[in-house]
Amino acid sequence: EAGVVQSPRYKIIEKKQPVAFWCNPISGHNTLYWYLQNLGQGPELLIRYENEEAVDDSQLPKDRFSAERLKGVDSTLKIQPAELGDSAVYLCASSLRTGVLADQETQYFGPGTRLLVL
Amino acid sequence: DAKTTQPTSMDCAEGRAANLPCNHSTISGNEYVYWYRQIHSQGPQYIIHGLKNNETNEMASLIITEDRKSSTLILPHATLRDTAVYYCIVRASNTGTASKLTFGTGTRLQVTL
């Protein structure tokens, strides 16, 4: 079974340019997450989708970041315009929520997209 | 979610058991202890989780103290491929935000020959 797929794996852009990251979750997974990971730090949640609905986007900087999950499958995370401080790894994860209790849910992560803003 | 405290780094000889400690003294009764690891240039990988009983799977064992204020992840026979950053996470089980994994900085485990 294929895991979470992300593309591109690496992206170098100049500041003020737009950039987009794509995520294809594990087939059948209804929940999708985007995380940001700065160098030497653990991942931090940006947004969580349940099917096509964003249910937790409190940590997403909405002035420049946007995300969508059309049809409740693939997702795209966009930054416009990018700033130097956005250089980081952007991780996508998915899970299958089958009940109310979170212990029934394991998150599976993709390899991430490493962004460098010059 | 309760905070966790882990050593910054540890070394382990290949073939020996790696014992990774985690303190979570403010853990609540409905919070689970999760362990993930992240190998260089990869996304985090789920290892194991538990509430209060010790747990074992094909990857590792999780020992949780009786007062639940600390736990130890045990890799019984570490190999070079176990070199990674290991994250101990405390996670609530019964709220809408329970899906959120709050990662700290983890323990960097280096397995050596």
Side-chain angles (χ1 to χ4, degrees):
Chain A
E1 179 181 331
V4 176
V5 179
Q6 291 188 246
S7 70
R9 289 296 313 276
Y10 305 91
K11 188 73 175 179
I12 301 175
I13 61 171
E14 294 186 345
K15 63 181 180 181
K16 301 185 181 180
Q17 294 299 306
V19 65
F21 314 122
W22 175 80
C23 174
N24 178 237
I26 292 173
S27 178
H29 279 192
N30 53 6
T31 306
L32 183 146
Y33 313 77
W34 283 102
Y35 287 84
L36 163 71
Q37 185 171 25
N38 288 305
L39 187 64
Q41 303 295 314
E44 302 170 37
L45 180 70
L46 289 173
I47 188 168
R48 172 169 69 98
Y49 282 92
E50 287 189 12
N51 299 304
E52 63 275 9
E53 182 182 0
V55 296
D56 183 1
D57 63 354
S58 58
Q59 301 303 310
L60 189 72
K62 298 181 182 63
D63 57 336
R64 298 183 299 109
F65 286 65
S66 65
E68 61 182 10
R69 191 185 184 201
L70 300 177
K71 301 181 180 179
V73 181
D74 295 359
S75 178
T76 303
L77 178 69
K78 298 178 181 178
I79 308 175
Q80 183 171 9
E83 297 179 351
L84 296 177
D86 296 331
S87 295
V89 176
Y90 292 83
L91 293 159
C92 179
S94 71
S95 67
L96 177 62
R97 297 199 76 187
T98 57
V100 174
L101 298 181
D103 67 320
Q104 300 173 28
E105 171 204 13
T106 296
Q107 294 185 28
Y108 297 87
F109 285 78
T113 296
R114 187 174 299 273
L115 174 67
L116 178 60
V117 182
L118 302 176
Chain B
D1 291 341
K3 290 185 176 180
T4 62
T5 304
Q6 299 178 252
T8 302
S9 63
M10 295 181 63
D11 291 333
C12 178
E14 188 176 35
R16 305 297 292 269
N19 298 291
L20 292 92
C22 179
N23 286 322
H24 31 79
S25 58
T26 60
I27 193 170
S28 300
N30 68 340
E31 290 179 319
Y32 282 73
V33 180
Y34 275 72
W35 284 83
Y36 276 74
R37 74 179 182 183
Q38 188 171 22
I39 296 170
H40 183 63
S41 295
Q42 297 183 21
Q45 176 190 25
Y46 167 79
I47 301 173
I48 198 168
H49 74 280
L51 183 62
K52 55 182 178 181
N53 297 321
N54 297 336
E55 302 288 344
T56 295
N57 63 19
E58 65 279 4
M59 291 183 68
S61 295
L62 175 60
I63 308 299
I64 303 174
T65 58
E66 191 170 347
D67 63 7
R68 301 187 69 239
K69 293 184 177 182
S70 65
S71 60
T72 301
L73 179 74
I74 301 172
L75 308 178
H77 305 286
T79 70
L80 296 178
R81 287 176 293 182
D82 293 321
T83 293
V85 177
Y86 287 76
Y87 296 100
C88 170
I89 301 164
V90 171
R91 183 189 189 194
S93 67
N94 58 1
T95 69
T97 59
S99 299
K100 181 176 180 177
L101 293 173
T102 302
F103 291 82
T105 53
T107 295
R108 183 172 299 277
L109 176 68
Q110 179 69 53
V111 181
T112 58
L113 292 172

